[in-house]
Amino acid sequence: MVSYSIQHKAYVKIFLHAAKHPHKPVNGVLLGRLDSDVVIIQDVVPLLHHWTSLSPMMEIGLDLARGHAESLDLSLVGYYQACERIDDTALTPVGERVAEQIRSQFSDAIAFVIDGDTLGSGEAALIPYLAQSGATTWRPQYFQPPAFTPGSRVMLSNPGSPSRAVALVRDNHLHQKFGDFDDHLEDVTIDWLRNNACNIPDL
């Protein structure tokens, strides 16, 4: 059975995207690879913070993100989103469609919805979703042990990532340097694929 490991840089980038647009829906894709039954999520590419439908801009962003992943010898392995309301943790129909697109090329794809209620708590603020067997619908997964606890199928490579992400926003305001595809469309100098302006220190 496949398990999932989120690397430090990937978790921090998801956090920065949500922190930059706290009252808007944000989404992006997960980059990684399968290694001995572990999907290692190494990086993310942030897509949009103005979206309600699977728009042509989102499709273009997905294609560019896929090309970027391939240039790094990685695959699109999943999807993430935050909802407009912090108490909303449902994977939207658009999110399901994007996740299903990714699953059509990577069968062990996973989706995460950001839990706004715990985002700034120092805990892993991600709710995992997987596709239902033989269906195209996605449901939240209540693993045993629960996600992000010892022995779970969904883990952070470094348990300190959530608290470090909070500090990078609170103390360094790193989220202000973070850009997604929407930002790039308004200012083409923003490197949304790599976000090298956000120098995320290792733990």
Side-chain angles (χ1 to χ4, degrees):
M1 192 173 290
V2 169
S3 58
Y4 300 85
S5 174
I6 306 175
Q7 304 292 289
H8 176 64
K9 179 170 72 171
Y11 183 87
V12 171
K13 282 187 173 182
I14 293 172
F15 189 95
L16 294 177
H17 198 191
K20 184 172 182 181
H21 305 287
H23 304 296
K24 295 179 180 176
V26 303
N27 68 3
V29 290
L30 313 174
L31 279 59
R33 56 189 171 83
L34 180 63
D35 185 4
S36 302
D37 290 331
V38 179
V39 177
I40 300 173
I41 300 165
Q42 295 179 226
D43 202 354
V44 310
V45 171
L47 291 176
L48 307 176
H49 59 269
H50 298 298
W51 60 277
T52 54
S53 63
L54 191 58
S55 65
M57 282 299 99
M58 192 183 296
E59 294 278 13
I60 292 168
L62 280 167
D63 285 344
L64 292 170
R66 185 175 290 108
H68 174 65
E70 290 170 355
S71 76
L72 300 173
D73 231 9
L74 301 174
S75 303
L76 297 190
V77 300
Y79 169 84
Y80 73 87
Q81 72 167 57
C83 299
E84 199 163 359
R85 296 196 336 266
I86 63 169
D87 61 343
D88 185 355
T89 57
L91 184 64
T92 64
V94 173
E96 280 199 10
R97 288 174 63 188
V98 175
E100 195 59 26
Q101 274 192 26
I102 294 169
R103 189 168 76 104
S104 70
Q105 297 187 346
F106 185 81
S107 60
D108 293 310
I110 191 169
F112 291 103
V113 176
I114 296 167
D115 183 353
D117 283 335
T118 61
L119 188 61
S121 69
E123 299 176 19
L126 298 174
I127 298 171
Y129 278 70
L130 290 175
Q132 300 304 287
S133 179
T136 58
T137 54
W138 290 62
R139 294 288 181 267
Q141 299 299 300
Y142 301 104
F143 297 106
Q144 290 300 328
F148 308 112
T149 63
S152 175
R153 286 177 56 202
V154 179
M155 296 291 293
L156 296 172
S157 66
N158 193 314
S161 294
S163 56
R164 182 61 179 147
V166 172
L168 288 171
V169 168
R170 182 190 62 223
D171 302 333
N172 301 75
H173 308 292
L174 201 60
H175 59 302
Q176 295 176 0
K177 298 180 180 179
F178 192 79
D180 60 16
F181 187 43
D182 266 337
D183 294 318
H184 175 78
L185 293 173
E186 295 173 10
D187 179 355
V188 295
T189 66
I190 292 172
D191 181 15
W192 65 287
L193 289 168
R194 298 170 189 80
N195 268 292
N196 286 334
C198 293
N199 186 19
I200 299 171
D202 294 330
L203 276 179

